[in-house]
């Protein structure tokens, strides 16, 4: 199959447990919780996304004919002389396109594969690091992995504390709270800190790449 990629670039992981790690980011086009068009935001399941995942016109983006072509493109961003290549599959929703062929091709080139998904689709079992960021109003089927990253608070009622209680029972190695970055960012940060101070199962994560001016 071919793959529609919005953009691909080399950066540092900006949030979560792997923050600060050198990584190729591969952003797939398309999502199952929002079309990406502003006129559809009010009726979308996820209404607070700040990422452009529409089309294939971003830096490093395009339509890749097969898994080998995409994996070769990712390796070119990493650089042949560097060791322990690490790639983050994101979107949009990456599991709309990730398949056996791509996982095998990336592993064949030595990549450790991470994914950032909304969890509404089961993650491929070959993924090495699974980060799930659930969105209020969606049906999360992937309830196990390496890190659960909950944006807090979510608008329009968002996840309530009852949902937080339930998520504490999900089989993740790390439970993270990330303040929502919108017009109410200071208040959101205080709310996230208060939640973590009240619930020791959770840890605070911030979007360090935004403070550092990274993509």
């Amino acid at each position: 199959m071919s793959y529609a990629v919005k953009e691909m670039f080399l950066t540092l992981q900006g949030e979560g447990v792997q923050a600060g790690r050198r990584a190729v980011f591969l952003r797939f086009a398309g999502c199952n919780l929002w079309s990406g068009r502003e006129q559809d935001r009010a009726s979308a399941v996820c209404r607070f996304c700040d990422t452009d995942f529409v089309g294939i016109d971003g830096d490093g983006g395009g339509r890749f004919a097969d898994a080998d072509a995409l994996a070769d493109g990712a390796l070119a961003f990493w650089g042949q002389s560097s060791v322990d290549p690490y790639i983050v599959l994101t979107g949009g929703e990456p599991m709309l396109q990730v398949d056996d062929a791509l996982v095998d091709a990336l592993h064949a080139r030595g990549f450790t594969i991470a994914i950032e998904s909304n969890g509404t689709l089961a993650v491929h079992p070959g993924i090495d690091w699974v980060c799930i960021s659930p969105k209020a109003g969606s049906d999360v089927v992937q309830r196990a992995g390496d890190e659960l990253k909950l944006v807090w608070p979510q608008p329009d009622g968002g996840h309530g504390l009852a949902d937080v209680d339930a998520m504490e029972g999900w089989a993740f190695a790390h439970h993270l709270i990330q303040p929502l970055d919108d017009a109410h960012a200071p208040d959101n940060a205080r709310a996230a800190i208060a939640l973590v101070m009240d619930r020791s199962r959770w840890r605070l994560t911030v979007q360090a790449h935004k403070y550092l001016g990274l993509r």
Side-chain angles (χ1 to χ4, degrees):
M1 66 171 279
S2 64
Y3 304 89
V5 174
K6 174 63 181 183
E7 59 181 350
M8 187 161 44
F9 53 93
L10 181 67
T11 187
L12 299 181
Q13 172 71 57
E15 58 196 41
V17 176
Q18 300 287 350
R21 185 170 184 174
R22 188 177 194 263
V24 175
F25 263 64
L26 195 172
R27 187 179 309 285
F28 288 98
C31 184
N32 59 341
L33 298 185
W34 177 42
S35 69
R37 299 188 298 265
E38 283 301 321
Q39 60 265 36
D40 298 331
R41 188 184 288 271
S43 59
V45 174
C46 178
R47 304 179 186 179
F48 59 85
C49 182
D50 60 358
T51 302
D52 179 8
F53 54 81
V54 177
I56 55 175
D57 57 342
D59 293 343
R63 184 165 294 279
F64 292 80
D66 55 34
D68 284 326
L70 183 49
D72 284 341
L75 190 60
F77 275 99
W78 183 263
Q80 296 282 354
S81 63
S82 299
V83 298
D84 300 327
Y86 182 74
I87 191 166
V88 179
L89 309 180
T90 184
E93 174 46 51
M95 278 313 306
L96 293 171
Q97 299 189 57
V98 172
D99 60 4
D100 293 343
L102 181 58
V103 170
D104 290 346
L106 290 170
H107 278 154
R109 288 155 180 81
F111 276 104
T112 296
I113 307 172
I115 195 168
E116 296 185 1
S117 167
N118 60 37
T120 59
L121 301 169
V123 169
H124 191 286
I127 300 295
D128 303 298
W129 184 271
V130 175
C131 173
I132 299 299
S133 182
K135 306 302 187 289
S138 68
D139 182 15
V140 178
V141 300
Q142 183 69 42
R143 299 189 176 189
D146 299 285
E147 60 181 299
L148 178 69
K149 183 179 66 180
L150 178 61
V151 175
W152 187 266
Q154 294 193 17
D156 303 317
H159 287 294
L161 292 179
D163 296 307
V164 174
D165 285 339
M167 289 176 191
E168 288 180 354
W170 294 1
F172 287 88
H174 306 277
H175 285 64
L176 307 178
I177 292 290
Q178 180 174 290
L180 174 64
D181 183 19
D182 65 5
H184 307 287
D187 290 337
N188 297 339
R190 285 189 285 270
I193 291 169
L195 189 149
V196 173
M197 292 299 292
D198 188 55
R199 293 169 177 261
S200 60
R201 180 68 180 271
W202 299 84
R203 293 166 51 191
L204 186 72
T205 182
V206 296
Q207 295 177 297
H209 57 288
K210 294 185 176 181
Y211 296 103
L212 297 173
L214 299 173
R215 295 176 68 181

